[in-house]
Amino acid sequence: MKAVSVILDANIYLDFWIRDKHQEKLDWASRRYLIRQSAVVLHELRRGAKTKKTIVFIEDLARHCPRIYAPLYDDWRIASEILAKLRQKFHWNKEQLTSFQNDTLIACTCRRNGLTLITANKKDFGLLQQYVDFSAIFW
């Protein structure tokens, strides 16, 4: 029986749609895990959608998912603390922090809800695992 819920990162969907990657892995994941949606991932996907077909698909992801996980105030607070540490350690500018914000919110939301993130972005999420304890599967 499926017990572990997972969130698919935006890069998994984009790799699948644009590059025709991950089909076998997605089939495996859908048999093994409960696939849920992240409000942050849906936002990223919708923000970048260019065709009506893509927009409808993203809306269907949200409509047909039994649960969409969104960051709460504590997730935002923790994310801001992590981003402040990263700014200090790596001397990141505002643009670098802003681009990392969504990944940080996804990680914090996964941690709070006991979700596993499936992502192809090991560089960023691997770095985040040094600051927030969340489960991730890297493809």
Side-chain angles (χ1 to χ4, degrees):
M1 182 172 164
K2 300 177 185 179
V4 175
S5 292
V6 298
I7 296 293
L8 301 178
D9 192 12
N11 58 52
I12 299 297
Y13 288 110
L14 295 173
D15 280 350
F16 177 72
W17 294 336
I18 297 168
R19 296 172 194 90
D20 199 27
K21 290 176 67 176
H22 305 307
Q23 181 62 59
E24 288 181 23
K25 292 177 183 177
L26 285 169
D27 290 343
W28 169 84
S30 67
R31 286 191 306 273
R32 182 167 181 170
Y33 301 112
L34 298 170
I35 297 178
R36 300 296 184 241
Q37 299 301 324
S38 160
V40 176
V41 170
L42 291 170
H43 164 80
E44 290 176 334
L45 293 172
R46 178 60 183 91
R47 182 183 64 205
K50 295 178 182 168
T51 67
K52 179 67 176 167
K53 181 180 177 181
T54 304
I55 293 167
V56 168
F57 183 80
I58 295 163
E59 290 172 355
D60 284 346
L61 280 176
R63 189 175 16 264
H64 298 296
C65 185
R67 177 105 190 255
I68 297 174
Y69 292 88
L72 298 178
Y73 172 73
D74 277 348
D75 300 316
W76 283 93
R77 181 184 54 76
I78 293 166
S80 68
E81 292 168 1
I82 292 167
L83 291 167
K85 290 176 184 175
L86 292 170
R87 182 193 67 227
Q88 184 175 22
K89 182 174 183 175
F90 298 111
H91 308 287
W92 284 356
N93 62 35
K94 183 178 177 180
E95 291 77 26
Q96 290 168 305
L97 291 170
T98 301
S99 72
F100 212 69
Q101 176 179 284
N102 284 353
D103 289 349
T104 308
L105 289 169
I106 292 167
C108 290
T109 303
C110 285
R111 178 203 49 82
R112 179 174 45 80
N113 291 287
L115 302 165
T116 297
L117 175 68
I118 297 178
T119 182
N121 185 352
K122 186 170 186 170
K123 179 183 175 226
D124 292 348
F125 285 103
L127 174 61
L128 280 170
Q129 283 183 319
Q130 297 174 32
Y131 296 89
V132 60
D133 185 23
F134 71 99
S135 174
I137 297 171
F138 298 105
W139 285 357

